[in-house]
PDB file of all heavy atoms in Angstrom:
ATOM      1  N   GLU J 198     -19.720  -0.563   3.001  1.00 91.00           N
ATOM      2  CA  GLU J 198     -19.866  -2.013   2.835  1.00 91.00           C
ATOM      3  C   GLU J 198     -20.367  -2.356   1.443  1.00 91.00           C
ATOM      4  O   GLU J 198     -19.826  -3.242   0.763  1.00 91.00           O
ATOM      5  CB  GLU J 198     -20.831  -2.561   3.893  1.00 91.00           C
ATOM      6  CG  GLU J 198     -21.020  -4.069   3.800  1.00 91.00           C
ATOM      7  CD  GLU J 198     -22.034  -4.592   4.800  1.00 91.00           C
ATOM      8  OE1 GLU J 198     -22.568  -3.792   5.586  1.00 91.00           O
ATOM      9  OE2 GLU J 198     -22.280  -5.812   4.788  1.00 91.00           O
ATOM     10  N   ALA J 199     -21.414  -1.646   1.005  1.00 91.00           N
ATOM     11  CA  ALA J 199     -21.962  -1.898  -0.334  1.00 91.00           C
ATOM     12  C   ALA J 199     -20.958  -1.507  -1.410  1.00 91.00           C
ATOM     13  O   ALA J 199     -20.815  -2.201  -2.429  1.00 91.00           O
ATOM     14  CB  ALA J 199     -23.261  -1.111  -0.510  1.00 91.00           C
ATOM     15  N   LEU J 200     -20.238  -0.400  -1.206  1.00 91.00           N
ATOM     16  CA  LEU J 200     -19.240   0.048  -2.180  1.00 91.00           C
ATOM     17  C   LEU J 200     -18.126  -0.989  -2.318  1.00 91.00           C
ATOM     18  O   LEU J 200     -17.745  -1.366  -3.434  1.00 91.00           O
ATOM     19  CB  LEU J 200     -18.665   1.389  -1.740  1.00 91.00           C
ATOM     20  CG  LEU J 200     -17.537   1.959  -2.605  1.00 91.00           C
ATOM     21  CD1 LEU J 200     -18.056   2.286  -3.996  1.00 91.00           C
ATOM     22  CD2 LEU J 200     -16.917   3.189  -1.967  1.00 91.00           C
ATOM     23  N   MET J 201     -17.594  -1.468  -1.182  1.00 94.00           N
ATOM     24  CA  MET J 201     -16.524  -2.471  -1.230  1.00 94.00           C
ATOM     25  C   MET J 201     -17.010  -3.756  -1.889  1.00 94.00           C
ATOM     26  O   MET J 201     -16.293  -4.381  -2.681  1.00 94.00           O
ATOM     27  CB  MET J 201     -16.030  -2.758   0.186  1.00 94.00           C
ATOM     28  CG  MET J 201     -15.243  -1.634   0.818  1.00 94.00           C
ATOM     29  SD  MET J 201     -13.593  -1.430   0.131  1.00 94.00           S
ATOM     30  CE  MET J 201     -12.797  -2.918   0.682  1.00 94.00           C
ATOM     31  N   GLU J 202     -18.231  -4.163  -1.579  1.00 94.00           N
ATOM     32  CA  GLU J 202     -18.785  -5.392  -2.166  1.00 94.00           C
ATOM     33  C   GLU J 202     -18.873  -5.268  -3.685  1.00 94.00           C
ATOM     34  O   GLU J 202     -18.481  -6.176  -4.428  1.00 94.00           O
ATOM     35  CB  GLU J 202     -20.166  -5.659  -1.571  1.00 94.00           C
ATOM     36  CG  GLU J 202     -20.761  -7.000  -1.922  1.00 94.00           C
ATOM     37  CD  GLU J 202     -20.120  -8.147  -1.156  1.00 94.00           C
ATOM     38  OE1 GLU J 202     -19.540  -7.905  -0.084  1.00 94.00           O
ATOM     39  OE2 GLU J 202     -20.188  -9.289  -1.650  1.00 94.00           O
ATOM     40  N   ARG J 203     -19.365  -4.127  -4.147  1.00 93.00           N
ATOM     41  CA  ARG J 203     -19.539  -3.925  -5.594  1.00 93.00           C
ATOM     42  C   ARG J 203     -18.195  -3.876  -6.321  1.00 93.00           C
ATOM     43  O   ARG J 203     -18.011  -4.523  -7.358  1.00 93.00           O
ATOM     44  CB  ARG J 203     -20.318  -2.618  -5.822  1.00 93.00           C
ATOM     45  CG  ARG J 203     -20.544  -2.259  -7.271  1.00 93.00           C
ATOM     46  CD  ARG J 203     -21.577  -1.163  -7.397  1.00 93.00           C
ATOM     47  NE  ARG J 203     -21.204   0.047  -6.682  1.00 93.00           N
ATOM     48  CZ  ARG J 203     -20.390   0.990  -7.178  1.00 93.00           C
ATOM     49  NH1 ARG J 203     -19.864   0.847  -8.378  1.00 93.00           N
ATOM     50  NH2 ARG J 203     -20.119   2.074  -6.476  1.00 93.00           N
ATOM     51  N   LEU J 204     -17.253  -3.113  -5.780  1.00 93.00           N
ATOM     52  CA  LEU J 204     -15.961  -2.963  -6.442  1.00 93.00           C
ATOM     53  C   LEU J 204     -15.174  -4.279  -6.428  1.00 93.00           C
ATOM     54  O   LEU J 204     -14.593  -4.680  -7.449  1.00 93.00           O
ATOM     55  CB  LEU J 204     -15.145  -1.868  -5.754  1.00 93.00           C
ATOM     56  CG  LEU J 204     -15.725  -0.454  -5.779  1.00 93.00           C
ATOM     57  CD1 LEU J 204     -14.849   0.493  -4.968  1.00 93.00           C
ATOM     58  CD2 LEU J 204     -15.870   0.064  -7.199  1.00 93.00           C
ATOM     59  N   CYS J 205     -15.150  -4.939  -5.276  1.00 94.00           N
ATOM     60  CA  CYS J 205     -14.345  -6.162  -5.152  1.00 94.00           C
ATOM     61  C   CYS J 205     -14.920  -7.299  -5.992  1.00 94.00           C
ATOM     62  O   CYS J 205     -14.161  -8.077  -6.578  1.00 94.00           O
ATOM     63  CB  CYS J 205     -14.244  -6.576  -3.685  1.00 94.00           C
ATOM     64  SG  CYS J 205     -13.220  -5.464  -2.689  1.00 94.00           S
ATOM     65  N   ARG J 206     -16.232  -7.411  -6.052  1.00 94.00           N
ATOM     66  CA  ARG J 206     -16.827  -8.486  -6.852  1.00 94.00           C
ATOM     67  C   ARG J 206     -16.481  -8.337  -8.327  1.00 94.00           C
ATOM     68  O   ARG J 206     -16.271  -9.339  -9.030  1.00 94.00           O
ATOM     69  CB  ARG J 206     -18.352  -8.519  -6.659  1.00 94.00           C
ATOM     70  CG  ARG J 206     -18.767  -9.140  -5.351  1.00 94.00           C
ATOM     71  CD  ARG J 206     -20.242  -9.509  -5.320  1.00 94.00           C
ATOM     72  NE  ARG J 206     -20.571 -10.207  -4.096  1.00 94.00           N
ATOM     73  CZ  ARG J 206     -20.373 -11.515  -3.889  1.00 94.00           C
ATOM     74  NH1 ARG J 206     -19.828 -12.245  -4.841  1.00 94.00           N
ATOM     75  NH2 ARG J 206     -20.710 -12.076  -2.744  1.00 94.00           N
ATOM     76  N   PHE J 207     -16.431  -7.113  -8.803  1.00 93.00           N
ATOM     77  CA  PHE J 207     -16.027  -6.887 -10.193  1.00 93.00           C
ATOM     78  C   PHE J 207     -14.593  -7.351 -10.411  1.00 93.00           C
ATOM     79  O   PHE J 207     -14.280  -8.015 -11.400  1.00 93.00           O
ATOM     80  CB  PHE J 207     -16.162  -5.401 -10.554  1.00 93.00           C
ATOM     81  CG  PHE J 207     -15.798  -5.101 -11.984  1.00 93.00           C
ATOM     82  CD1 PHE J 207     -16.756  -5.150 -12.982  1.00 93.00           C
ATOM     83  CD2 PHE J 207     -14.498  -4.775 -12.340  1.00 93.00           C
ATOM     84  CE1 PHE J 207     -16.427  -4.887 -14.310  1.00 93.00           C
ATOM     85  CE2 PHE J 207     -14.147  -4.506 -13.650  1.00 93.00           C
ATOM     86  CZ  PHE J 207     -15.123  -4.566 -14.641  1.00 93.00           C
ATOM     87  N   VAL J 208     -13.705  -7.007  -9.465  1.00 93.00           N
ATOM     88  CA  VAL J 208     -12.301  -7.407  -9.571  1.00 93.00           C
ATOM     89  C   VAL J 208     -12.173  -8.925  -9.531  1.00 93.00           C
ATOM     90  O   VAL J 208     -11.421  -9.529 -10.308  1.00 93.00           O
ATOM     91  CB  VAL J 208     -11.461  -6.762  -8.461  1.00 93.00           C
ATOM     92  CG1 VAL J 208     -10.039  -7.302  -8.464  1.00 93.00           C
ATOM     93  CG2 VAL J 208     -11.433  -5.246  -8.625  1.00 93.00           C
ATOM     94  N   TYR J 209     -12.928  -9.576  -8.626  1.00 94.00           N
ATOM     95  CA  TYR J 209     -12.858 -11.039  -8.544  1.00 94.00           C
ATOM     96  C   TYR J 209     -13.242 -11.688  -9.861  1.00 94.00           C
ATOM     97  O   TYR J 209     -12.650 -12.690 -10.267  1.00 94.00           O
ATOM     98  CB  TYR J 209     -13.800 -11.570  -7.451  1.00 94.00           C
ATOM     99  CG  TYR J 209     -13.538 -11.051  -6.065  1.00 94.00           C
ATOM    100  CD1 TYR J 209     -14.549 -11.025  -5.100  1.00 94.00           C
ATOM    101  CD2 TYR J 209     -12.288 -10.568  -5.685  1.00 94.00           C
ATOM    102  CE1 TYR J 209     -14.326 -10.552  -3.824  1.00 94.00           C
ATOM    103  CE2 TYR J 209     -12.054 -10.089  -4.404  1.00 94.00           C
ATOM    104  CZ  TYR J 209     -13.085 -10.078  -3.487  1.00 94.00           C
ATOM    105  OH  TYR J 209     -12.859  -9.595  -2.223  1.00 94.00           O
ATOM    106  N   ALA J 210     -14.239 -11.101 -10.545  1.00 93.00           N
ATOM    107  CA  ALA J 210     -14.754 -11.712 -11.773  1.00 93.00           C
ATOM    108  C   ALA J 210     -13.898 -11.399 -12.994  1.00 93.00           C
ATOM    109  O   ALA J 210     -13.760 -12.241 -13.898  1.00 93.00           O
ATOM    110  CB  ALA J 210     -16.193 -11.242 -12.016  1.00 93.00           C
ATOM    111  N   LYS J 211     -13.294 -10.208 -13.046  1.00 91.00           N
ATOM    112  CA  LYS J 211     -12.661  -9.750 -14.288  1.00 91.00           C
ATOM    113  C   LYS J 211     -11.141  -9.724 -14.267  1.00 91.00           C
ATOM    114  O   LYS J 211     -10.514  -9.704 -15.335  1.00 91.00           O
ATOM    115  CB  LYS J 211     -13.154  -8.328 -14.610  1.00 91.00           C
ATOM    116  CG  LYS J 211     -14.651  -8.200 -14.775  1.00 91.00           C
ATOM    117  CD  LYS J 211     -15.157  -8.923 -16.005  1.00 91.00           C
ATOM    118  CE  LYS J 211     -16.652  -8.697 -16.201  1.00 91.00           C
ATOM    119  NZ  LYS J 211     -17.162  -9.413 -17.390  1.00 91.00           N
ATOM    120  N   ASP J 212     -10.535  -9.713 -13.102  1.00 90.00           N
ATOM    121  CA  ASP J 212      -9.076  -9.540 -13.056  1.00 90.00           C
ATOM    122  C   ASP J 212      -8.358 -10.781 -13.570  1.00 90.00           C
ATOM    123  O   ASP J 212      -8.727 -11.908 -13.255  1.00 90.00           O
ATOM    124  CB  ASP J 212      -8.618  -9.241 -11.625  1.00 90.00           C
ATOM    125  CG  ASP J 212      -7.111  -9.116 -11.533  1.00 90.00           C
ATOM    126  OD1 ASP J 212      -6.558  -8.259 -12.257  1.00 90.00           O
ATOM    127  OD2 ASP J 212      -6.500  -9.873 -10.768  1.00 90.00           O
TER     128      ASP J 212
END
Side-chain angles (χ1 to χ4, degrees):
E198 181 183 358
L200 176 65
M201 289 287 292
E202 189 75 22
R203 179 167 59 83
L204 298 176
C205 290
R206 283 195 175 278
F207 182 90
V208 173
Y209 301 156
K211 301 293 184 181
D212 178 57

